[in-house]
Amino acid sequence: MSEQWIYLDGKFVTKKDAVVSVYDHGFLYGDGVFEGIRVYSGNVFRLQEHIDRLYDSAKSIMLSIPQTKEEMTEIIVETLRKNEYKDAYIRVVVSRGVGNLGLDPFTCKNPQVIVIAEQLALYPKEMYESGIDIVSVASRRNRSDVLSPKVKSLNYLNNILVKIEANLAGVGEALMLNDQGYVAEGSADNIFIVKGNVIKTPPGYVGALEGITRNAIIDIAKEKGFDIREEVFTRHDVYTADEVFLTGTAVEVIAVVKVDGRTIGEGTPGPYTKELLEDFRKAVTSDGVKVYPNEKIQAV
Ligand code: PMP
């Protein structure tokens, strides 16, 4: 297998050499921001939106990314070219950088920028055909007025606790509520429900990350003339929905067929979920930034 190149601190290094200091505040305190991005057949899906979210997250925590957005775009594209990847998962991390053991972020003078591209382990096809079971968990989403869910920070303990609970319950994903008991999202995905011909997803202020996949699904649904709304809802609405699905960069669009033991709809992926997944998979090869501009891009 050929060498995997990782962008670290201004240069490309091998996986073995891609190491950071134990004094990096990203390591010591989860002080930093990140993005998870996908490239499909040489098209970096909605790259601009990911970059905008990264810079907004950084601004919110007063982390000044040394590169301009254009330079960051170039670094991401270069990482893919260097590895000759057309289909990959990309992780962009910007940590506060090396400081001392104190909390003060202003001791960290050089934010650390890391770009990892990896060929992905795709979720099994059967999962999309059969749908997945989820459970609601006791851990609640961080209050959005304490740590905004819009900040995609390196502090994922909240989500990790949720994932642990889901795993202990024998399922892979969870339904996370906010502090008031309203449905927020999954451990690393947004949630949608369908009832009749109305599709709903919680608004950002409930405590959900503004997912890029979520926004793409909203755009696709609107283009198709579907009635899609950002609205607050409860677990009862999830239990009694005709369809439930999760969205995220890694999972794309996946049907949920059981929640806390309640079968959703017919217990199989519903028509809206299937249609939106199909349309999403068409969009991913065109909506974004081309890594190999002169090459004929093949559909996935
Ligand atoms: N919520 C959380 C907490 C996440 O970590 C993610 C993954 N980035 C999502 C939702 C889905 O967002 P996206 O579609 O941008 O991957």
Side-chain angles (χ1 to χ4, degrees), residues 53 152 156 159 185 187-190 209 211-213 247-249:
R53 188 171 68 181
K152 198 164 165 53
Y156 252 53
N159 311 67
E185 59 180 340
S187 72
D189 334 274
N190 291 109
L209 179 77
I212 308 288
T213 321
T247 65
T249 296

Side-chain angles (χ1 to χ4, degrees), residues 7-11 19-21 23-27 31-33 58 62-67 72 93-100 104-114 154:
Y7 178 90
L8 173 75
D9 209 12
K11 49 186 184 295
V19 288
V20 294
S21 165
Y23 285 91
D24 192 301
H25 278 211
F27 174 72
D31 185 356
V33 293
M62 291 193 84
L63 170 57
S64 167
I65 301 179
Q67 289 82 5
M72 185 63 80
V93 179
V94 184
S95 77
R96 189 79 64 177
V98 171
N100 58 32
D104 187 355
F106 297 110
T107 64
C108 309
K109 302 296 179 208
N110 298 303
Q112 176 83 265
V113 177
I114 299 164
L154 291 180

Side-chain angles (χ1 to χ4, degrees), residues 58-246:
K59 182 170 186 186
S60 186
I61 65 162
M62 291 193 84
L63 170 57
S64 167
I65 301 179
Q67 289 82 5
T68 63
K69 287 186 179 183
E70 291 70 30
E71 285 164 349
M72 185 63 80
T73 305
E74 207 40 51
I75 291 168
I76 292 167
V77 166
E78 264 317 302
T79 308
L80 292 163
R81 287 188 187 143
K82 178 104 181 144
N83 286 290
E84 298 179 7
Y85 290 160
K86 279 192 194 167
D87 292 276
Y89 177 85
I90 307 156
R91 174 60 57 89
V92 181
V93 179
V94 184
S95 77
R96 189 79 64 177
V98 171
N100 58 32
L101 287 181
L103 204 57
D104 187 355
F106 297 110
T107 64
C108 309
K109 302 296 179 208
N110 298 303
Q112 176 83 265
V113 177
I114 299 164
V115 181
I116 308 168
E118 273 193 1
Q119 241 130 22
L120 16 140
L122 293 170
Y123 283 92
K125 204 162 163 265
E126 306 83 68
M127 234 174 78
Y128 295 92
E129 281 158 10
S130 59
I132 59 167
D133 292 5
I134 65 172
V135 294
S136 52
V137 291
S139 299
R140 297 292 174 102
R141 187 64 160 111
N142 284 330
R143 277 179 55 150
S144 51
D145 59 340
V146 176
L147 180 59
S148 172
K150 290 184 187 212
V151 177
K152 198 164 165 53
S153 86
L154 291 180
N155 183 338
Y156 252 53
L157 270 180
N158 188 200
N159 311 67
I160 288 164
L161 292 175
V162 167
K163 191 80 178 174
I164 289 171
E165 283 193 64
N167 289 351
L168 288 178
V171 295
E173 251 307 340
L175 177 67
M176 188 175 12
L177 309 177
N178 74 1
D179 61 309
Q180 293 178 304
Y182 293 113
V183 171
E185 59 180 340
S187 72
D189 334 274
N190 291 109
I191 186 164
F192 288 74
I193 58 172
V194 183
K195 183 82 168 172
N197 58 4
V198 179
I199 310 170
K200 288 183 192 170
T201 192
Y205 65 80
V206 170
L209 179 77
E210 277 200 9
I212 308 288
T213 321
R214 167 193 187 271
N215 291 348
I217 291 298
I218 293 174
D219 290 348
I220 292 168
K222 280 186 182 160
E223 269 165 37
K224 296 182 86 82
F226 293 163
D227 184 349
I228 187 149
R229 306 176 191 175
E230 291 182 53
E231 239 175 70
V232 174
F233 54 86
T234 63
R235 265 198 310 187
H236 172 79
D237 301 312
V238 179
Y239 295 158
T240 56
D242 301 327
E243 297 180 41
V244 176
F245 61 90
L246 301 174

